[in-house]
Amino acid sequence: MGLFDDDQPKKKLAHEIGSDLSLLSVDELMQRIALLNEEIARLEAERERKSASRSAAEGLFR
């Protein structure tokens, strides 16, 4: 480990659907699960926002 390792940008954690999981540690699997749970929450929030917007628009044309 070098003196300036903390200055290096950290690689962003990503997950590719269908990728080989056999080489990941339990900690890495937990990180992936957390990442995917956060993404699910983000997707659900966007769906709710769009549903509310659509309902409001439909209400104008009734």
Side-chain angles (χ1 to χ4, degrees):
M1 296 193 76
L3 183 59
F4 300 105
D5 286 343
D6 290 340
D7 293 341
Q8 298 298 320
K10 297 205 187 310
K11 184 177 179 184
K12 184 176 179 182
L13 179 62
H15 179 77
E16 183 179 329
I17 303 298
S19 63
D20 181 15
L21 305 176
S22 64
L23 299 177
L24 298 176
S25 69
V26 171
D27 287 338
E28 290 169 322
L29 289 168
M30 296 298 292
Q31 289 175 348
R32 299 264 180 119
I33 291 168
L35 174 72
L36 292 169
N37 283 331
E38 290 172 7
E39 184 65 5
I40 290 168
R42 189 177 77 89
L43 290 165
E44 289 175 339
E46 183 66 13
R47 181 191 64 200
E48 290 296 319
R49 186 186 71 75
K50 288 188 177 201
S51 292
S53 177
R54 182 177 181 178
S55 294
E58 288 175 348
L60 291 174
F61 294 105
R62 288 189 179 177

